[in-house]
């Protein structure tokens, strides 16, 4: 892991809402069993406080570190799928690509077209979901139709903070 890795506002809010301390998170990361990944829902991870406390969010996921100095979060529930990933080639190489899919959601095209540049919290509200960080903005939006369901797929712009600045906020 990088010397002072960066963590997203969503990842930080995920930890804060789960009442996970910086010490618990770092201990879990040191004890990870899946290479660079801290899997939060595997049986071996359930003994870790970071995994137990993350159950508050009602899904499954993991944190992983990258060679580009980021601690990234992937998390899935029956309501949404949230993925922080990297751009691996091209001019944006090493940049974050953050995607959110809201399952069973459908909005008219005129509303979807108006979503880019809006705050994500304006769309989903602040009601207890870790994704609703104030500074997270929608960059892309589209409706996807799958067999038996629809989804609203969003590309997000999320702020990233150095761990040295973010972890003291966690207590």
């Amino acid at each position: 892991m990088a010397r002072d890795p960066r963590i997203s506002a969503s990842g930080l809010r995920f930890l804060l809402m789960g009442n996970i301390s910086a010490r618990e998170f770092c201990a879990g990361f040191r004890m990870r069993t899946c290479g660079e990944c801290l899997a939060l829902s595997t049986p071996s991870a359930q003994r870790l406080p970071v995994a137990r406390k993350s159950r508050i969010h009602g899904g499954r996921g993991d944190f992983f570190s990258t060679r580009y100095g980021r601690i990234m979060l992937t998390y899935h529930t029956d309501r949404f799928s949230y993925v922080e990933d990297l751009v691996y080639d091209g001019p944006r190489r090493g940049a974050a690509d953050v995607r959110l899919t809201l399952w069973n959601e459908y909005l008219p095209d005129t509303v979807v077209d108006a979503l880019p540049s809006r705050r994500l919290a304006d769309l989903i509200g602040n009601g207890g979901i870790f994704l609703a960080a104030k500074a997270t903005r929608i960059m892309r939006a589209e409706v996807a139709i799958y067999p038996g369901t629809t989804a609203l797929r969003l590309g997000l712009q999320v702020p990233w903070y150095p761990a040295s600045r973010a972890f003291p906020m966690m207590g």
Side-chain angles (χ1 to χ4, degrees):
M1 188 174 356
R3 183 179 187 99
D4 192 12
R6 300 174 73 77
I7 188 167
S8 71
S10 297
L12 180 59
R13 189 169 157 101
F14 178 94
L15 297 170
L16 289 170
M17 289 179 72
N19 198 28
I20 298 166
S21 71
R23 194 180 89 237
E24 290 168 332
F25 179 73
C26 291
F29 227 85
R30 280 192 301 273
M31 296 177 68
R32 62 191 180 268
T33 57
C34 303
E36 292 301 306
C37 178
L38 169 56
L40 299 173
S41 54
T42 62
S44 61
Q46 292 308 308
R47 68 185 198 284
L48 301 173
V50 64
R52 284 194 316 271
K53 289 181 175 183
S54 69
R55 289 185 200 150
I56 189 175
H57 300 295
R60 65 195 183 293
D62 53 54
F63 280 95
F64 64 97
S65 62
T66 70
R67 66 181 175 149
Y68 292 99
R70 293 184 191 258
I71 298 172
M72 303 187 103
L73 171 65
T74 299
Y75 205 76
H76 307 281
T77 71
D78 58 347
R79 296 182 349 228
F80 65 85
S81 292
Y82 177 81
V83 177
E84 295 175 352
D85 203 356
L86 285 175
V87 176
Y88 289 99
D89 54 5
R92 293 190 58 229
R93 182 184 182 133
D97 178 28
V98 181
R99 299 177 308 276
L100 172 63
T101 303
L102 300 170
W103 300 110
N104 300 315
E105 293 290 333
Y106 181 82
L107 295 173
D109 289 341
T110 53
V111 175
V112 172
D113 292 344
L115 288 175
S117 78
R118 300 228 187 255
R119 289 181 17 185
L120 179 62
D122 293 341
L123 175 66
I124 64 173
N126 293 331
I129 186 168
F130 69 89
L131 301 170
K134 290 179 186 172
T136 300
R137 297 232 171 246
I138 299 169
M139 302 309 292
R140 305 179 304 279
E142 67 180 356
V143 172
I145 299 173
Y146 299 103
T149 190
T150 59
L152 181 59
R153 295 191 323 195
L154 305 171
L156 304 176
Q157 180 182 25
V158 178
W160 292 82
Y161 305 107
S164 61
R165 183 175 148 211
F167 287 176
M169 289 188 271
M170 294 169 55

